[in-house]
Amino acid sequence: MIPLYKPFMPETPQINEILKSGQLAYGKYGRAFEEQLSHYFETSNVLVTNTFNMAILVALTTLDVKAGDTVIVSPMACLASTQPLLSIGVIVQWADVDPMTGTLSPESVRSLMNIKPKAIIHNHYCGYPGHIDEINAIGNEFGIPVIDDGIEAFGSEYKGKKIGNVGSDVTIFSFNPVRIPNTLDGGAVIFKDDKLFEKSKLIRDAGIDRTQFRDNLGEISPNCDITMIGHSATPMEINTYIGTQQMENVDSLLSTQRENAKLWKQWYASNLNGKPIENHNSNPNFWVFGILAEDKIEMIKEMRSKGYYASGVHINNNIYSVFGKSDFLPGVEYFSNHFVAVPSGWWVDLKDELNV
């Protein structure tokens, strides 16, 4: 069975040297990885974290989102994107999604402006960019920051620009094992605003200003005050070193995934049970290849019988009681009942198998 996900790992010849160096905390490889990401996204305001969970918390803390604040969120997301909000006491307000894409419905988001949310988190489901201009316009109109949740969208593009540099206030990424790139575990935050970026660097490191933290003897200085809530979110050198090696392969891996997507599109052109997700103004990374199936269960069975591990990937998070009562959301209901993903990753060779 061809898997839906598979971790990629390049050659990592410096691992043993790093392990024996005694320099395991955030250092030269952490900075090098951030520089690579800055070049990739064409922005200098990139911060790497030790987990995706911490990327979310650093982003929210930097935006002064606190316990009791309401944040608009899509139920069609990985649970890793939504659970961290509850850990700091945020009230999750579900918005509906476009039933054809699984991403936030601008009309639904606009209808929730009366509750005065503190932020909007815009998940780009399985790497398929959502209605970015429309959601950002709502955020700008009402003075509410928009966080692009790119947990599965590294390398995805919208109107010729990469997610991470499409005008949103903040973008978050995951580098867990089945993402590209992966650092075993990790995340990143990108800020559009320079002042917020500078603030986030302190928040990532427990609120510490390292230029003043120690005195001339190397002792912790009592004159260095901690003025804001922070997190222990700096990455380890092993992880970021792996990230630097991953970045050398990102373009070729994404190219393979996009070539596989073209073949899937040709194959599904003659399959009456499903049609591909349409890419409005976007070029997804095709972390998976998404289909809207007439019969979801039958499509999953059909593709697995052909040797491809098909799946719905995520379940709509508004079913979980931990988030409290949820209203019926028709777009979420439709998308959740029809979405199927098939493998399109770098490990899949479709040219001979699909005969298209």
Side-chain angles (χ1 to χ4, degrees):
M1 184 78 71
I2 296 174
L4 189 57
Y5 328 111
K6 186 176 180 179
F8 173 78
M9 189 53 60
E11 294 297 318
T12 53
Q14 300 300 317
I15 289 286
N16 200 48
E17 179 181 325
I18 295 169
L19 287 173
K20 293 182 177 181
S21 70
Q23 298 176 350
L24 301 178
Y26 174 76
K28 69 174 184 178
Y29 286 110
R31 291 187 289 273
F33 186 37
E34 288 175 336
E35 288 175 8
Q36 287 175 306
L37 293 171
S38 295
H39 178 75
Y40 186 79
F41 291 110
E42 298 181 333
T43 175
S44 60
N45 295 349
V46 180
L47 196 77
V48 174
T49 60
N50 52 4
T51 66
F52 177 63
N53 187 97
M54 279 298 166
I56 297 171
L57 296 185
V58 167
L60 293 174
T61 305
T62 302
L63 294 172
D64 291 325
V65 177
K66 301 180 178 68
D69 289 335
T70 298
V71 173
I72 292 175
V73 186
S74 168
M76 295 309 310
C78 179
L79 193 59
S81 292
T82 57
Q83 266 277 25
L85 279 69
L86 300 182
S87 73
I88 59 170
V90 165
I91 299 168
V92 171
Q93 174 61 58
W94 302 121
D96 206 356
V97 302
D98 179 337
M100 297 295 104
T101 64
T103 59
L104 280 178
S105 159
E107 293 78 13
S108 179
V109 171
R110 180 172 287 278
S111 73
L112 295 170
M113 289 300 99
N114 62 311
I115 65 173
K116 298 182 179 179
K118 197 69 179 287
I120 300 166
I121 300 181
H122 190 186
N123 178 269
H124 302 295
Y125 192 78
C126 283
Y128 286 82
H131 301 284
I132 290 174
D133 285 349
E134 293 86 347
I135 298 297
N136 286 353
I138 294 170
N140 289 335
E141 180 181 343
F142 290 90
I144 300 166
V146 175
I147 302 172
D148 275 341
D149 177 9
I151 181 173
E152 296 146 354
F154 190 98
S156 294
E157 298 173 355
Y158 178 77
K159 293 186 175 181
K161 291 188 174 183
K162 292 181 176 68
I163 301 297
N165 191 10
V166 293
S168 305
D169 299 288
V170 186
T171 309
I172 50 177
F173 291 105
S174 168
F175 300 142
N176 96 337
V178 296
R179 315 298 181 207
I180 293 178
N182 89 69
T183 61
L184 303 183
D185 202 357
V189 191
I190 298 175
F191 290 89
K192 183 172 71 173
D193 183 84
D194 294 340
K195 290 182 179 179
L196 287 177
F197 174 63
E198 292 302 318
K199 178 182 176 183
S200 75
K201 288 193 287 187
L202 297 181
I203 288 171
R204 177 181 65 170
D205 194 12
I208 296 170
D209 180 352
R210 291 289 172 179
T211 65
Q212 303 178 44
F213 191 56
R214 294 188 180 276
D215 61 22
N216 293 334
L217 291 176
E219 294 295 295
I220 295 174
S221 172
N223 297 320
C224 178
D225 192 15
I226 305 298
T227 63
M228 62 182 72
I229 294 172
H231 305 282
S232 295
T234 51
M236 296 290 100
E237 285 288 86
I238 287 290
N239 302 75
T240 50
Y241 166 65
I242 291 171
T244 64
Q245 302 306 104
Q246 294 265 347
M247 287 301 294
E248 299 295 330
N249 297 273
V250 160
D251 288 339
S252 63
L253 297 176
L254 292 174
S255 177
T256 298
Q257 294 182 177
R258 288 177 170 132
E259 287 301 314
N260 282 332
K262 290 178 183 178
L263 296 171
W264 275 127
K265 286 179 183 178
Q266 294 177 47
W267 190 82
Y268 275 101
S270 59
N271 188 307
L272 300 179
N273 185 25
K275 64 176 183 177
I277 300 289
E278 293 189 19
N279 312 327
H280 299 287
N281 299 312
S282 69
N283 185 19
N285 62 4
F286 294 106
W287 176 66
V288 296
F289 186 80
I291 307 140
L292 290 178
E294 290 293 326
D295 188 319
K296 179 173 181 173
I297 300 302
E298 285 304 311
M299 176 60 75
I300 290 174
K301 290 179 179 178
E302 175 189 351
M303 298 315 300
R304 290 187 184 181
S305 72
K306 295 179 183 296
Y308 300 98
Y309 193 90
S311 171
V313 184
H314 304 301
I315 195 167
N316 48 305
N317 290 186
N318 61 330
I319 69 168
Y320 296 122
S321 61
V322 68
F323 291 103
K325 184 178 178 297
S326 176
D327 296 327
F328 175 73
L329 299 170
V332 169
E333 185 77 5
Y334 180 88
F335 186 81
S336 183
N337 288 335
H338 292 271
F339 178 81
V340 176
V342 293
S344 61
W346 50 270
W347 59 94
V348 185
D349 185 0
L350 298 177
K351 290 181 180 178
D352 296 327
E353 295 187 36
L354 293 182
N355 296 316
V356 292

